[in-house]
Amino acid sequence: DNGHGNGARGALIVLEGLDRSGKSSQCLRLVSYLKGLGFPVESWHFPDRTTSVGNMISSYLSNESNLDDRTIHLLFSANRWEKRSLMEHKLRAGTTLIVDRYSYSGVAFSAAKGLDLEWCKAPELGLLAPDLVVYLDIPPEKAAERGGYGGERYEQLEFQRKVDQHYRTLHDPTWKVVDACLSMEDVEEHLRQLAKDCVSSCQNGKQLSQ
Ligand code: DGP
Ligand code: NA
Ligand code: NA
């Protein structure tokens, strides 16, 4: 029960895209919009660097440590697994979660290193399935022009091109693609509509799945 007495659950909404596609800013904007409409909503981000697994990921990303490609893959996945029960609890209690990156980042970034796609997908099986995946679509060259690649491990054009190809492989018809080269306001408007529809369908009884 969600405390409002109607048992409506929250929606699991995931934003995916290359580095510098605008995901993080759009997630925050979307959260304030949904809050303004009176929906219980939280902004989440993977990797969650605050846990001990997240600390290892963070030091890997900033090149303070090196890890074997499969090892870091499993840590990213473990970082989602360690949040799974809290996520489920929040959703069932009626809170919508806007999540900046999820399993698709996990698969696209590791597959871009040459790891086998099916091997990459395996540890993600059993995590909660998103109700909506929005892909913020930007050509890697355009993202690179935005500047502000922070110098972390994956923030290089050549690598982002490979990630882009793998995202295209993963992409399925249920994804909603938004052109991330549109103005911030236009992207925001698309996201608002998609999210509002999704939150309503979850309130109207759409089941949570894995
Ligand atoms: P972010 O904090 O969203 O900027 O993500 C940090 C970097 O890590 C970014 O380049 C994307 C990458 N990343 C995010 N999730 C995963 C994952 O599950 N696996 C791998 N290999 N990389 C990821
Ligand atoms: Na980044
Ligand atoms: Na980001």
Side-chain angles (χ1 to χ4, degrees):
D1 187 41
N2 61 11
H4 302 292
N6 58 10
R9 72 166 177 94
L12 178 53
I13 298 179
V14 170
L15 267 70
E16 285 283 357
L18 296 178
D19 286 286
R20 307 299 297 157
S21 56
K23 290 182 309 307
S24 304
S25 330
Q26 291 295 345
C27 278
L28 299 178
R29 286 168 171 242
L30 185 56
V31 166
S32 359
Y33 171 70
L34 293 171
K35 265 189 194 152
L37 296 179
F39 295 114
V41 56
E42 289 183 9
S43 136
W44 282 40
H45 177 230
F46 288 110
D48 177 343
R49 302 188 192 211
T50 65
T51 69
S52 51
V53 172
N55 271 311
M56 293 174 73
I57 294 171
S58 187
S59 97
Y60 171 82
L61 288 171
S62 61
N63 294 303
E64 285 159 41
S65 66
N66 279 315
L67 289 168
D68 165 78
D69 288 344
R70 287 179 181 77
T71 307
I72 187 64
H73 180 78
L74 295 171
L75 289 177
F76 273 109
S77 183
N79 188 234
R80 287 182 279 277
W81 275 102
E82 66 182 335
K83 293 287 166 179
R84 187 194 182 286
S85 60
L86 180 61
M87 207 175 217
E88 180 168 3
H89 174 80
K90 298 250 176 196
L91 291 167
R92 292 201 187 282
T95 303
T96 285
L97 306 179
I98 309 296
V99 185
D100 182 355
R101 297 190 182 284
Y102 200 54
S103 299
Y104 315 95
S105 285
V107 177
F109 280 77
S110 288
K113 298 172 179 174
L115 297 185
D116 177 71
L117 193 65
E118 294 310 314
W119 187 89
C120 290
K121 286 180 180 174
E124 306 297 318
L125 294 177
L127 290 172
L128 297 173
D131 296 297
L132 169 66
V133 177
V134 181
Y135 187 71
L136 292 192
D137 194 16
I138 189 169
E141 295 72 23
K142 280 270 192 284
E145 279 168 19
R146 288 185 170 180
Y149 272 166
E152 284 202 327
R153 190 179 285 262
Y154 299 141
E155 296 177 336
Q156 291 166 18
L157 180 54
E158 242 352 273
F159 188 71
Q160 298 281 324
R161 282 195 179 112
K162 291 185 185 150
V163 175
D164 176 63
Q165 285 164 8
H166 285 283
Y167 265 131
R168 279 169 211 293
T169 309
L170 291 174
H171 192 144
D172 77 52
T174 67
W175 287 26
K176 303 295 181 189
V177 178
V178 173
D179 180 356
C181 295
L182 295 173
S183 71
M184 197 113 137
E185 291 71 24
D186 287 346
V187 173
E188 184 178 19
E189 187 51 34
H190 283 294
L191 280 167
R192 287 178 171 192
Q193 293 309 322
L194 292 167
K196 234 174 23 178
D197 291 348
C198 177
V199 170
S200 308
S201 70
C202 292
Q203 286 190 327
N204 293 328
K206 181 175 181 280
Q207 295 294 306
L208 186 59
S209 63
Q210 302 196 345

